[in-house]
Amino acid sequence: MEEPRVNLLHKNTEEMYGRRPRPFFLRARVVGTVIALTLVIGIVFSATSKDASEEVGGSVFTTISRLVRSADKELSGETDDRVNILLLGIGGSGHDGPELTDTIIFGSFQPSTKQIGLLSIPRDLVIPLEGYGWRKINHVNAYGEEQKRESGPELAAQTIGEILGQPVHYWIKVDFKGFETFIDAIGGIDVDVARAFTDPAYPLEDEEGTITTLHFETGPQQMDGKTALQFVRSRHGDNGEGSDFARAARQQLVLVAVKKKLLSASVLLNPARLTRLVGTLRENMRTNLSSWEILRLARMEDLFTGPSINHIVLDTRPGSPLYETTAGGAYVILPRHQNWDRIQDIAKNLFDASEADLVSREAAPRGITLDIQNGTDIPSLAATVGNLLREEGYTVADVGNAEINGVKETIIYDRSYGAYPAELLALADYLNARISQSAGGWLVSQEIVPDELTIRPIDVASAGPPVDFLVILGESTVDRLSLRP
């Protein structure tokens, strides 16, 4: 049966169909808002949908027509009242590691309540990847692309979904150029910068190996595409803005600014700008969302004008489910206790989670347990140091001689899997020791690719006594504590 058609020229249309047809600019508003939000949430998010050759590049009128025809279809996850989208930002061509994901955001929305939640995932998080061992999460898309062109996001979605314990229904990938072009297409954004900072080492795009100095003042300011990209990419800022966690927070700040701009008359009533947004999608975005699914999102207009977005940034603050360390000289982030339970709990309750939920509510330990082994030829050194550490409040479970001798620098192996980062640093300082590059209960090797690290958990069952820290005493502690005979 042929679909019913509405004659927009008929003066009695409202009488015929029982409601007044929406003005064109309101439909354009909905479509433009969804296109923009979809792009910006990934921050550096290229959009050819899986049926783009047929549908994405059409006119605004064609888009409206498909919006009507897709009315009865449902998105994946909509039956369960939760749709999950993985947003990946890459450098793109012309950048080192063009397929490495600089930005990773897990987004969810609940159609029944119009709630939205965003979970920023640090790019240095080490996760298990089938066939590769434990790898940094920002490499997953690149590995997928090496296996088969355009398969990187699918591998990333599957892997990250398993880590978070949530199905990833859709993915969106965009590059730096797409982000910058998008901001310019909507006429720039107004950002209220929360904290001033200076970055003395921002890389210039057109001059490889050359850097420049950026500075952002506190307070409201207008940003074009280039400035906004610098704001969300900067990673060497002072005043607490030099971490990936601070960068993720700035990305979310830009998202709020973009949403405000999209709901302004300068965008909603400007067909030329809306057309440029469609062009930006076609040129710079890749997604597995088909056009009817994009249009289904567009029909959920209340989703973008309703409650504010709930933002969570996974970080390594004391008590959080992640901790930072070095492995083979490389900075990495690892899950405490070798499991993802707390992270999965945050992902599950993303709409209602808060920053406070990142911090463990477990009671503080009464004492850190130690296994102390003497790696020198000084008799009874382990017992002597053990007594000193008991006086400092540690629990010494065992002392003895190490299997190796002649150790110059005391080594501490963290078998608590990052549960006590502050105590670990304090002990290392007290003993003048280094923390092992086993990465806190993780073994580091180069088993898979010679120039890359493979990280895997230590088998606790075969790692000796169930203690928090294993200490192999060396000459550095002898000198620090003046214990030389």
Side-chain angles (χ1 to χ4, degrees), residues 42-46 88-104 123 138 141-142 145 173-181 202-203 205 229 232-233 235 247 251 283-284:
I43 299 298
V44 215
F45 309 121
S46 145
L88 304 172
I90 63 170
S93 60
H95 294 268
D96 292 335
E99 291 295 337
L100 298 180
T101 45
D102 193 69
T103 298
I104 305 170
R123 62 178 190 159
N138 71 324
N141 174 71
E145 293 294 327
K173 183 172 76 169
V174 102
D175 58 21
F176 293 161
K177 180 182 178 182
F179 173 73
E180 184 174 340
T181 303
Y202 185 85
E205 299 295 327
L229 180 60
V232 299
R233 284 193 66 204
R235 61 178 74 258
R247 190 168 62 94
Q251 293 167 359
E283 294 293 330
N284 299 290

Side-chain angles (χ1 to χ4, degrees), residues 74-84 108-116 296-297 300 302-303 307 351:
E74 287 192 341
L75 299 167
S76 296
E78 195 171 348
T79 301
D80 298 323
D81 200 27
R82 179 164 183 173
V83 180
N84 298 325
S108 290
F109 71 85
Q110 194 167 44
S112 65
T113 64
K114 314 304 180 187
Q115 288 181 289
I116 305 174
R296 174 70 173 177
L297 284 169
M300 299 177 180
D302 292 340
L303 182 66
F351 304 119

Side-chain angles (χ1 to χ4, degrees), residues 35-300:
I35 289 173
L37 284 178
T38 302
L39 183 67
V40 171
I41 293 173
I43 299 298
V44 215
F45 309 121
S46 145
T48 302
S49 71
K50 58 189 177 187
D51 55 359
S53 60
E54 176 190 354
E55 298 179 278
V56 168
S59 69
V60 175
F61 290 103
T62 302
T63 298
I64 294 173
S65 174
R66 291 182 182 124
L67 173 59
V68 174
R69 292 202 303 269
S70 66
D72 296 329
K73 297 183 180 180
E74 287 192 341
L75 299 167
S76 296
E78 195 171 348
T79 301
D80 298 323
D81 200 27
R82 179 164 183 173
V83 180
N84 298 325
I85 304 178
L86 182 65
L87 306 157
L88 304 172
I90 63 170
S93 60
H95 294 268
D96 292 335
E99 291 295 337
L100 298 180
T101 45
D102 193 69
T103 298
I104 305 170
I105 301 177
F106 173 77
S108 290
F109 71 85
Q110 194 167 44
S112 65
T113 64
K114 314 304 180 187
Q115 288 181 289
I116 305 174
L118 298 177
L119 182 66
S120 294
I121 303 172
R123 62 178 190 159
D124 292 309
L125 177 65
V126 175
I127 64 172
L129 179 60
E130 185 177 358
Y132 293 89
W134 288 75
R135 299 289 185 177
K136 283 190 176 183
I137 197 170
N138 71 324
H139 283 70
V140 179
N141 174 71
Y143 288 139
E145 293 294 327
E146 288 177 1
Q147 295 172 9
K148 183 181 178 182
R149 183 176 175 81
E150 303 292 345
S151 66
E154 291 288 353
L155 181 60
Q158 176 186 342
T159 304
I160 294 173
E162 291 172 354
I163 292 299
L164 298 180
Q166 293 291 321
V168 175
H169 304 111
Y170 302 106
W171 53 262
I172 300 168
K173 183 172 76 169
V174 102
D175 58 21
F176 293 161
K177 180 182 178 182
F179 173 73
E180 184 174 340
T181 303
F182 166 74
I183 296 297
D184 286 335
I186 63 173
I189 55 176
D190 295 315
V191 179
D192 190 359
V193 179
R195 185 163 52 187
F197 68 94
T198 298
D199 181 349
Y202 185 85
L204 291 175
E205 299 295 327
D206 301 329
E207 303 176 45
E208 186 175 352
T210 305
I211 60 175
T212 189
T213 298
L214 301 179
H215 179 74
F216 291 92
E217 290 288 347
T218 304
Q221 52 197 275
Q222 190 172 47
M223 297 184 183
D224 59 10
K226 180 179 179 180
T227 304
L229 180 60
Q230 292 172 338
F231 184 66
V232 299
R233 284 193 66 204
S234 173
R235 61 178 74 258
H236 301 290
D238 58 5
N239 198 25
E241 291 292 329
S243 70
D244 276 350
F245 314 120
R247 190 168 62 94
R250 293 197 302 271
Q251 293 167 359
Q252 296 174 354
L253 192 64
V254 166
L255 175 60
V256 173
V258 168
K259 181 179 178 181
K260 290 180 179 178
K261 184 60 179 283
L262 286 170
L263 297 178
S264 68
S266 64
V267 173
L268 301 180
L269 303 181
N270 191 327
R273 282 186 172 170
L274 293 176
T275 300
R276 284 198 295 271
L277 292 181
V278 174
T280 298
L281 269 173
R282 186 173 62 247
E283 294 293 330
N284 299 290
M285 183 173 148
R286 297 288 179 269
T287 179
N288 67 337
L289 279 157
S290 64
S291 59
W292 78 261
E293 289 167 323
I294 293 174
L295 297 173
R296 174 70 173 177
L297 284 169
R299 293 187 68 253
M300 299 177 180

